[in-house]
Amino acid sequence: MVILQTEFETSAQLYRAYMPFIRYGGLFFMTTSEHQLGERLTARFRLPESAHWHEFEGQVVWINPLGSQGGRPPGVGLAFLQQDNPFKPAIETLLAGELGSDQLTSTM
């Protein structure tokens, strides 16, 4: 069962959600549901300009509770669990191609 889902409409949204400092990468999902560190969740996401949904099981490694300081949205960061998952290279390739573009830098 998919618990979390997000659709990245722009590279800027993906850039803000991507967690490259996690060993195999990870993504932040906005949610008001309560989750615990270490909890495993099934999630799915869609990259900008793609019709394909990517589903994975991840581990909660980051939590922004409802009412977090600094205007941070509530949600959880899920770590990809496998070194050989296709998501990290696909995301990093997409973001590398966009890092110098006006689309990514103008919406930050």
Side-chain angles (χ1 to χ4, degrees):
M1 176 173 76
V2 173
I3 294 180
L4 299 173
Q5 176 176 303
T6 194
E7 182 175 355
F8 299 108
E9 295 179 7
T10 68
S11 297
Q13 289 175 332
L14 177 61
Y15 181 81
R16 287 190 297 272
Y18 183 53
M19 303 173 77
F21 50 87
I22 304 298
R23 184 174 188 183
Y24 303 128
L27 290 171
F28 182 81
F29 289 83
M30 290 193 303
T31 180
T32 56
S33 299
E34 289 189 26
H35 297 284
Q36 303 298 314
L37 288 174
E39 183 178 353
R40 289 191 178 210
L41 302 173
T42 301
R44 70 184 205 151
F45 64 94
R46 188 159 54 186
L47 294 173
E49 300 181 20
S50 174
H52 181 71
W53 286 93
H54 303 281
E55 189 170 314
F56 71 101
E57 181 180 28
Q59 185 172 13
V60 176
V61 295
W62 185 279
I63 298 174
N64 279 355
L66 190 61
S68 290
Q69 294 182 1
R72 293 186 204 124
V76 296
L78 293 184
F80 300 132
L81 299 177
Q82 299 174 336
Q83 178 179 2
D84 60 347
N85 77 70
F87 311 123
K88 181 177 179 173
I91 290 169
E92 290 180 351
T93 298
L94 178 66
L95 292 177
E98 295 293 332
L99 278 177
S101 79
D102 292 338
Q103 177 188 3
L104 185 58
T105 56
S106 67
T107 58
M108 300 288 293

